[in-house]
Amino acid sequence: RSTLFPYTTLFRSYPTNILATSQDYVFILVKEGILVLNSGLLLHQPLIRGRFAGLAEDKDGDVFTLQEQAGSTSIRRLRLDGRQSDTRLFGRQLFWWHGQAIQLTAARCFDQWRSLSKCWFLTSKGSKLYITDRGLSKVYSVDVESGDQSSWGYLGAGEGQLQHPTGILADDSGHLLVCDSHNGRLSVHTEAGSFLRLLDSQKDARPYG
């Protein structure tokens, strides 16, 4: 309890996302920022302040999240960094922002993107991030190495169409599983966006995370 003070109340402050990493850290998004816990679920470092959406870990152990500022969404990367000042002050490595923020420009191709775009979830596969846009009913692909961005998805209830997609997951076989929330189903696509099949469909369901 003393290790968490004065952040104990933050665990009850609108937690929206959680990620357990391959390096045995746990990231939790709360209203005021990002909490980083160690394997014993004790606070690893001070709160990373800001308003963020979504968490995803890449093959190198970096953690990605989305940040909205001035009506535009950017992709931010956190990396465990062994700065001497951290070791001297905290006795351990801490996670710090790494590299430049990547502006999500793919959404700007669509009408009223500034007011409608709501990107809340993302997943990582290789050098690419896949991001769902709940407001525009799109999925974006962003290559964090080359900077290439693309989009797919059409608003509707037919096979291959999406209504307010939320959670997204990439597997090892080149598939994306998308929570098609307002259609009440789970939809399977290729990484290029081609529709494959519906995994589950329930009229009153609202699959989300």
Side-chain angles (χ1 to χ4, degrees), residues 19-108:
L19 173 72
T21 75
S22 59
Q23 302 179 71
D24 293 328
Y25 293 97
V26 176
F27 286 68
I28 302 175
L29 293 190
V30 292
K31 184 177 181 179
E32 292 86 354
I34 303 175
L35 292 169
V36 183
L37 312 182
N38 61 23
S39 59
L41 298 184
L42 298 177
L43 198 66
H44 176 73
Q45 66 185 72
L47 177 74
I48 301 171
R49 294 191 175 275
R51 299 294 295 272
F52 305 101
L55 292 165
E57 182 189 19
D58 73 359
K59 61 185 186 305
D60 298 319
D62 292 348
V63 174
F64 290 89
T65 189
L66 304 171
Q67 184 174 28
E68 185 173 336
Q69 293 178 315
S72 182
T73 300
S74 60
I75 300 165
R76 306 292 306 275
R77 182 201 307 244
L78 285 164
R79 175 173 290 180
L80 194 62
D81 190 344
R83 302 181 185 184
Q84 290 185 355
S85 58
D86 295 345
T87 304
R88 188 165 57 249
L89 184 60
F90 296 98
R92 55 185 175 269
Q93 296 180 328
L94 304 184
F95 284 88
W96 291 92
W97 297 120
H98 178 78
Q100 296 294 319
I102 302 172
Q103 293 295 316
L104 184 61
T105 58
R108 300 178 184 180

Side-chain angles (χ1 to χ4, degrees), residues 80-171:
L80 194 62
D81 190 344
R83 302 181 185 184
Q84 290 185 355
S85 58
D86 295 345
T87 304
R88 188 165 57 249
L89 184 60
F90 296 98
R92 55 185 175 269
Q93 296 180 328
L94 304 184
F95 284 88
W96 291 92
W97 297 120
H98 178 78
Q100 296 294 319
I102 302 172
Q103 293 295 316
L104 184 61
T105 58
R108 300 178 184 180
C109 301
F110 307 105
D111 294 339
Q112 298 180 295
W113 69 271
R114 193 178 292 277
S115 60
L116 295 178
S117 179
K118 301 294 181 186
C119 297
W120 285 0
F121 291 90
L122 72 164
T123 191
S124 175
K125 177 69 179 301
S127 65
K128 291 185 177 181
L129 295 175
Y130 299 94
I131 301 165
T132 55
D133 190 329
R134 189 175 70 89
L136 290 172
S137 295
K138 303 290 182 182
V139 177
Y140 306 122
S141 172
V142 179
D143 191 313
V144 296
E145 293 181 358
S146 68
D148 293 339
Q149 300 188 23
S150 61
S151 65
W152 52 266
Y154 294 92
L155 176 64
E159 289 191 350
Q161 294 180 314
L162 301 170
Q163 287 197 63
H164 293 213
T166 54
I168 185 169
L169 181 69
D171 69 10

